[in-house]
């Protein structure tokens, strides 16, 4: 292969994680926080941070940390070449170290012996596990920022549409009267709860040495006031990670907990996306995504306005369970003190989960903040079922008032009314149900006015307003002060 061809391949490799076939995560932010360059930078940050820790503990010569920090500039390294050479040792730390040591030697013009501070008493897993925790921490912080925007928007929708009637659906069919405010509050609940779980994560430093016994660290600190444990804590503080009570080379709860939390966020996003996709169908038309130039277009049909934000978010949600499962599968197969492949299988699954969650978080925030709501269409769809939608409430209110007739209880008589109504054409069911119900329930028992009250969808909302309020109130850290629910809805009364 010619040098020019090799150069072209390397240039291509530099863009290999641009996201051409993963548009949900194709963004400069995702690439900056989870791409190959970000992994490289995190590994170098660990090595540089470790040199600083050693120098402060008088276990490296003065000036070593500055030399290593200069040598740890990611721009000095051939990313594609490191990736290829990683096949030789099974991980990218090994070839990167060769380059780091070479650069340290070249930059150590004052002869401070900085090379002795590079990777001393560490093992590749210490560095890569810690680097991935650093990568995850940075990504999760960005995800949480978008989650706050999403939950604020959803809380505002819940407040604004507390009285907006719509139809609840069960097993694809109309079930009971509902409110869009409660639907938005339930969306909020899923995202806020998942966000709380994500925010509670710790990102621990890894430091165990070759076999997790800290043997080399013990030798390193012999005669020093430092111990391997104090050095590990100092590295955690240097990098802004959590200290770890012990090496966790084969105890992967830090990774599986992270994977579970990321998947939970995407689960909550997936629920919202699925609802928006259905509710934005032209024949439903209760919602629409925010408009943006060039979004939702079709290559063949100029009239199409595809709900692309929801499509992309849903694509991420559908990928997350298998990626989280891969992390659990790996954790269950961490044999010996250093596994033979299980550890390696974590890396792409974890990074893909991080990328998908961060990408989806940005799209979900834009969707929530710009969602278009059409109350008239919601009422139109609610009215499709007509008064039959109130059959449960009618039965509960009227059955006890009806005397037994022909051996049939009041409840059975009202069920007969429903069954006979369902035998008629859908267009005739509203009038048929009213007539049959009036015939079955004597006016002396229930007046026309009371019967119409029972057939008003706004009369059978249960505790919808209070449920929405309780959900939002349970997550005050996700609600800006201006998004507090309207006090008129705090008494639990149902409004239509």
């Amino acid at each position: 292969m010619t040098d020019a061809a090799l150069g072209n391949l390397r240039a291509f490799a530099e863009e290999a994680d641009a996201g051409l076939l993963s548009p949900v995560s194709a963004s400069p932010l995702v690439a900056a926080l989870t791409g190959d360059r970000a992994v490289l930078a995190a590994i170098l940050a660990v090595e540089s941070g470790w040199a600083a820790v050693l120098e402060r503990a008088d276990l490296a010569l003065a000036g070593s940390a500055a030399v290593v920090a200069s040598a740890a500039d990611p721009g000095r390294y051939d990313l594609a070449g490191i990736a290829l050479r990683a096949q030789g040792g099974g991980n990218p730390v090994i070839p990167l170290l060769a380059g780091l040591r070479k650069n340290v030697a070249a930059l150590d013009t004052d002869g401070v012996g900085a090379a002795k501070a590079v990777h001393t008493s560490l093992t590749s897993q210490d560095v890569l596990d810690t680097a991935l925790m650093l990568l995850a921490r940075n990504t999760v912080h960005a995800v949480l920022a978008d989650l706050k925007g999403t939950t604020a928007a959803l809380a505002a929708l819940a407040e604004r549409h507390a009285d907006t009637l719509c139809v609840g659906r069960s097993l694809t069919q109309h079930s009971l009267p509902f409110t869009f405010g409660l639907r938005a509050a339930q969306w909020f609940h899923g995202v806020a709860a998942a966000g709380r779980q994500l925010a509670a994560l710790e990102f621990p430093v890894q430091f165990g040495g070759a076999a997790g016994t800290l043997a080399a660290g013990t030798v390193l600190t012999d005669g020093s006031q430092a111990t391997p444990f104090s050095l590990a804590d100092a590295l955690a503080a240097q990098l802004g990670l959590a200290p770890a009570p012990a090496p966790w080379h084969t105890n992967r709860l830090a990774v599986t907990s992270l994977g579970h939390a990321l998947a939970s966020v995407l689960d909550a996003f997936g629920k919202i996306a699925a609802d928006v996709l259905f509710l934005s169908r032209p024949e439903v038309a209760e919602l629409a995504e925010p408009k943006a130039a060039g979004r939702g277009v079709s290559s063949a049909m100029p009239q199409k306005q595809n709900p692309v934000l929801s499509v992309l978010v849903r694509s991420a949600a559908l990928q997350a369970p298998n990626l989280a499962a891969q992390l659990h599968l790996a954790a269950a197969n961490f044999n010996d003190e250093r596994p033979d492949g299980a550890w390696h299988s974590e890396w792409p699954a974890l990074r893909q989960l991080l990328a998908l969650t961060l990408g989806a978080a940005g799209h979900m925030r834009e969707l929530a903040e710009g969602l278009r709501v059409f109350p008239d269409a919601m009422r139109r769809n609610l009215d499709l079922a007509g008064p039959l939608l109130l059959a449960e409430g009618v039965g509960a209110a009227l059955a006890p008032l009806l005397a037994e007739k022909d051996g049939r209880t009041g409840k059975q008589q009202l069920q007969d009314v429903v069954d006979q109504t369902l035998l008629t054409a859908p267009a005739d069911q509203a009038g048929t149900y009213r007539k049959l119900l009036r015939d079955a329930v004597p006016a002396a028992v229930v007046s026309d006015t009371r019967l119409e009250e029972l057939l008003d969808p706004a009369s059978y909302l249960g505790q919808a307003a209070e449920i929405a309020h309780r959900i939002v109130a349970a997550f005050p850290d996700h609600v800006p002060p201006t998004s507090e629910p309207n006090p008129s809805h705090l008494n639990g009364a149902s409004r239509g």
Side-chain angles (χ1 to χ4, degrees), residues 202-228:
E202 290 191 336
F203 304 93
V205 72
Q206 176 74 281
F207 179 41
T213 63
L214 294 170
T218 301
V219 172
L220 174 68
T221 56
D222 186 31
S224 167
Q225 292 185 342
T227 69

Side-chain angles (χ1 to χ4, degrees), residues 79-226:
L79 183 61
I82 291 169
L84 288 173
R85 294 196 302 277
Q87 298 177 41
N91 73 71
V93 177
I94 296 171
L96 179 56
L97 274 174
L100 178 61
R101 289 188 171 110
K102 181 179 178 181
N103 285 331
V104 167
L107 292 170
D108 191 4
T109 55
D110 294 332
V112 300
K116 295 179 180 178
V118 176
H119 202 68
T120 300
S121 79
L122 298 178
T123 191
S124 295
Q125 188 173 353
D126 291 336
V127 175
L128 191 51
D129 276 352
T130 301
L132 289 175
M133 288 295 107
L134 194 58
L135 189 87
R137 182 206 65 190
N138 295 341
T139 304
V140 165
H141 285 177
V143 170
L144 289 173
D146 275 333
L147 286 188
K148 287 294 183 69
T150 296
T151 51
L154 294 176
L157 284 172
E159 176 191 1
R160 190 179 311 126
H161 292 283
D163 297 332
T164 301
L165 286 171
C166 64
V167 65
R169 297 174 176 89
S170 174
L171 300 179
T172 77
Q173 304 300 297
H174 288 193
S175 57
L176 291 175
F178 209 72
T179 68
F180 182 66
L182 179 54
R183 181 168 289 142
Q186 291 290 11
W187 291 347
F188 168 94
H189 193 184
V191 176
R196 180 176 286 177
Q197 180 175 262
L198 191 64
L201 290 175
E202 290 191 336
F203 304 93
V205 72
Q206 176 74 281
F207 179 41
T213 63
L214 294 170
T218 301
V219 172
L220 174 68
T221 56
D222 186 31
S224 167
Q225 292 185 342

Side-chain angles (χ1 to χ4, degrees), residues 249-447:
H249 285 169
T250 55
N251 300 314
R252 310 306 290 177
L253 187 61
V255 175
T256 55
S257 296
L258 172 59
H260 172 74
L262 293 169
S264 295
V265 168
L266 289 175
D267 289 345
F269 287 175
K271 161 60 179 169
I272 299 172
D275 281 352
V276 173
L277 286 167
F278 171 75
L279 295 171
S280 62
R281 289 172 178 266
E283 60 269 28
V284 181
E286 296 181 11
L287 300 175
E289 291 192 350
K291 286 184 175 293
R295 180 185 293 144
V297 298
S298 164
S299 66
M301 294 166 281
Q303 85 284 0
K304 291 278 302 275
Q305 286 290 299
N306 297 317
V308 175
L309 291 175
S310 298
V311 169
L312 293 179
V313 169
R314 189 162 186 256
S315 77
L318 293 175
Q319 294 174 71
N322 284 343
L323 294 169
Q326 176 59 50
L327 298 178
H328 285 286
L329 179 63
N333 284 280
F334 259 63
N335 57 310
D336 301 326
E337 280 60 60
R338 188 67 54 78
D340 49 7
W343 179 48
H344 305 72
S345 72
E346 276 185 354
W347 313 335
L350 178 59
R351 189 170 70 154
Q352 181 71 352
L353 258 179
L354 288 166
L356 287 172
T357 308
L358 180 56
H363 296 309
M364 179 52 66
R365 180 175 185 171
E366 184 178 357
L367 174 62
E369 290 179 342
L371 189 66
R372 292 181 290 155
V373 181
F374 305 114
D376 289 346
M378 292 179 179
R379 183 61 198 233
R380 179 199 67 211
N381 292 332
L382 173 67
D383 289 340
L384 288 176
L388 268 178
L389 199 67
L390 283 302
E392 180 189 72
V394 167
L398 300 186
L401 305 180
L402 296 180
E404 187 172 311
K405 182 179 181 181
D406 299 329
R408 301 184 67 74
T409 65
K411 183 176 181 179
Q412 291 170 326
Q413 293 172 48
L414 293 173
Q415 183 63 51
D416 288 343
V417 169
V418 172
D419 292 343
Q420 292 175 50
T421 301
L422 292 174
L423 294 175
T424 63
D428 300 330
Q429 287 178 357
T432 299
Y433 181 68
R434 273 193 162 84
K435 179 180 184 305
L436 292 177
L437 184 62
R438 181 71 282 176
D439 292 345
V441 181
V445 175
V446 176
S447 68

